[in-house]
Amino acid sequence: SEYLCPNDRCSVLEPTGEPRYYNDTHLTAAASARLGAQILAREGVPAVFASIPAWKATASASPEAVR
């Protein structure tokens, strides 16, 4: 995806130098949180989750609050 492989270049490290993957197929918790914050900031809350009451409270939170 454009989030994990910008410009068609995939890295096993985050821009901070931390590992991106826990194992061959799973992101670390920190990488997952950063990815979620990026998606939320860029695309907003996915429609399927928008009706969940807890999301209504956090949907307007800044991406830093999610990290």
Side-chain angles (χ1 to χ4, degrees), residues 3-52:
Y3 293 103
L4 293 175
C5 301
N7 302 317
D8 294 325
R9 294 194 178 262
C10 301
S11 175
V12 297
L13 299 176
E14 289 288 295
T16 59
E18 297 173 86
R20 181 171 283 168
Y21 295 94
Y22 172 74
N23 61 22
D24 289 346
T25 57
H26 295 91
L27 295 170
T28 63
S32 179
R34 278 190 287 278
L35 177 63
Q38 289 174 344
I39 293 170
L40 184 61
R42 187 184 222 178
E43 300 179 25
V45 176
V48 69
F49 297 113
S51 64
I52 298 172

